[in-house]
Amino acid sequence: MRPGTGTTVAGDYPDISDHGIIGDLQTAALIDRDGTIDWFCCPRFDSPTVFGSLVDAERGGFCRISPDADDFVTKQLYLPDTAMLVTRFLTEAGVGEVIDFMPVTGGEATDVHQLVRMVRVVRGTMTFVGEIQPRFDFGRAPHTVDIVNGAAITFSSDVGRLTLHRIGDPVLHDGQRAGHITPSGDGVRITITLDAGETTGVVLTSGDVEPRQMPQEELEELYHRTRRYWREWTDASTYTGRWREYVSRSAITLKLMTYAPTGALVAAPTAALPEQVGGERNWDYRYTWIRDASFSVYALLCLGHVEEAEAFVKWLMDRIHESVGDDSGPLKIMYRIDGSSDLVEETIGDLEGYRGSRPVRIGNGAADQLQLDIYGEAMSAIHLADTHGLELPHRGWDQVRDMLDWVCDHWGEPEEGIWETRGGKQHFTYGRFMCWVALDRGIRLAQRRGRPASIERWTAERDRIYEEIMSTGWNPERGAFVQHLDTDVLDASLLLMPLMGFVAPRDPMWLSTMAAMEETLVSDSLVYRYDPSASPDGLRGSEGTFTLCSFWYVDALARSGHTGRARYTFEKMLTYANHLGLFSEEIGLTGEQLGNFPQAFSHLALINAAVNLDYQLDHGSGDVEPVLWRGRRDA
């Protein structure tokens, strides 16, 4: 039984894919098919949990609204072109809906956030039972419960406060008062009986607010304002290709994971969801990776969302400005959404983890790793933004110059690599290839804008990197570019080589690499990032295929002239989305979603693959020009 059904059984968890996401551009909540909010951090993405039963069914806390019935069927969908989630319940007696959404806050950071749960019946009669059991700070902070005049409830702890506001007057049904509130353990229980056409609900508000009964008109105004915001945002998209529904849902999902006050994009709204159920690969993804967010600039500009791309580039430049001259280099690999870099990793021993997947980690110990590839991704984003009119000011160019001079000095060092392995530093091919990208984009930018730069030095180091990759990154026995110079292991990150212009997509060396990857890393349409059994990464257990690598494979196929295979592979990948079109980080052997959910990298890779595949299909397999670069080529 799921929490709130009368008996809570430890270890009873929904599938990771059984969730939708809602949010207000500062935080987000996950809601499963039976109407349970089992993940909600507040007031920010990277704050402690208020509801966290997704990582501990008994001690994590939840908010559930579902029919008071033993047998019902559920369906979920989003209101079209919005982030408003509808969970439908079908019984013989009636059909009811819970519409969950968060009114979008402004660009200023705030502790006050509203989570609206609108309840209505569209056929027959239905009694809903709601149970609210908050557990602050991953269940570590006790709280008190106060019922205020039967109209509102406050849950107060030393680390946060949550207020539940009832909507409108209690409904009389068969002579009984619906909307009755009773204490239930460390929470409350609410019953709501409605006939067809009736609507009510509750609003959960964080922060220090006055408990009150909210009028029905206010609920309706929140509903219409939120729906209008999302429809206006999606209407601004310029994408008109073949996969509008999936691209639109991916774009909305990326928007939901953007922290509006700074423009930073979190990798995922969740922490500690496992890459292997029962394993230890359970990481906290509620932070901004330079790599992931930089790739988002391409996706956002593809769709015409220039404002979001500009906000992230500004955030990125602020990080470069703050860090130039540090011993650790110009950039850290990840930051909190406010730009701070305190990501100390800890484990919460009292939580059992999703389906027993311990440890439950918060913070991220990989934050201080040296990963050289981030400079290529950052410069690619800065260069691309510049081609779309988002030019760097003088101060920004000075920061970029200092960063690229640092890359010239350090590109040959061993590092931890894109996959943040914990098995020791290596001379990763991908890291060096992306250092080539960093210098190449810096040279183009300096030449196009006539900016002062160490062009001769940058060019010499760029060419040295190229020659080294072609000699030490190429393994003649394997007939492929390999993960690092001391191995013959293949690495799916190198699928980006043709996209970034490092190698021609029909170069025999690249076609040979693709063939080797297809034999070793590709399983049907799914792609493993590497073979951990052949390349120890310092962690126990295995993992699923990486969704973003699968979409990279689609793009590599199309650029290599295999547009038919690329389209078929892309269509098959779409079948692995959940019922709402959402993807986690990985896909297991039987198609299950694994890892933190939903995953920004997966969705931005989907957008990029769709846009580029559209271009290849429309312009013929002989033309490999990326759609964003058409008509914008550098000299």
Side-chain angles (χ1 to χ4, degrees), residues 77-214:
L77 72 157
Y78 282 105
L79 288 179
D81 295 329
T82 77
M84 304 170 75
L85 183 65
V86 183
T87 305
R88 308 185 71 227
F89 299 98
L90 292 81
T91 69
E92 292 185 358
V95 176
E97 298 177 342
V98 177
I99 304 176
D100 288 298
F101 61 93
M102 295 184 70
V104 176
T105 56
E108 297 295 325
T110 177
D111 290 340
V112 178
H113 301 270
Q114 292 180 308
L115 200 165
V116 181
R117 310 210 72 184
M118 178 186 285
V119 182
R120 68 186 182 189
V121 170
V122 296
R123 191 190 73 199
T125 298
M126 185 172 290
T127 296
F128 293 87
V129 175
E131 188 162 1
I132 298 91
Q133 297 285 346
R135 298 292 184 271
F136 294 91
D137 191 17
F138 300 96
R140 298 179 294 187
H143 66 272
T144 59
V145 183
D146 295 303
I147 301 177
V148 183
N149 297 326
I153 303 100
T154 60
F155 307 92
S156 302
S157 76
D158 291 339
V159 297
R161 176 174 170 175
L162 190 70
T163 301
L164 183 146
H165 311 278
R166 256 195 17 214
I167 302 298
D169 295 324
V171 178
L172 286 175
H173 183 82
D174 292 340
Q176 298 182 353
R177 290 174 68 85
H180 185 58
I181 302 173
T182 57
S184 176
D186 291 327
V188 297
R189 184 180 175 91
I190 301 175
T191 57
I192 301 171
T193 301
L194 300 174
D195 292 323
E198 293 179 331
T199 300
T200 186
V202 296
V203 176
L204 296 166
T205 306
S206 67
D208 188 11
V209 297
E210 187 71 24
R212 64 189 177 93
Q213 185 165 301
M214 187 176 291

Side-chain angles (χ1 to χ4, degrees), residues 543-582:
E543 61 185 18
T545 57
F546 255 58
T547 300
L548 82 101
C549 294
S550 300
F551 287 122
W552 286 349
Y553 175 55
V554 169
D555 189 81
L557 278 173
R559 290 172 188 277
S560 300
H562 302 291
T563 51
R565 287 175 57 200
R567 182 171 186 174
Y568 186 43
T569 300
F570 185 74
E571 295 282 2
K572 284 196 288 187
M573 275 303 301
L574 297 180
T575 69
Y576 289 102
N578 82 341
H579 58 293
L580 297 167
L582 305 180

Side-chain angles (χ1 to χ4, degrees), residues 10 87 185 235 248 254 258 315 430 432 466 474 524 583 615 635:
T87 305
D235 285 347
S248 177
L254 290 178
T258 301
W315 181 91
Y430 181 76
R432 297 196 174 181
Y466 182 89
W474 172 261
D524 194 25
F583 285 93
Y615 184 84

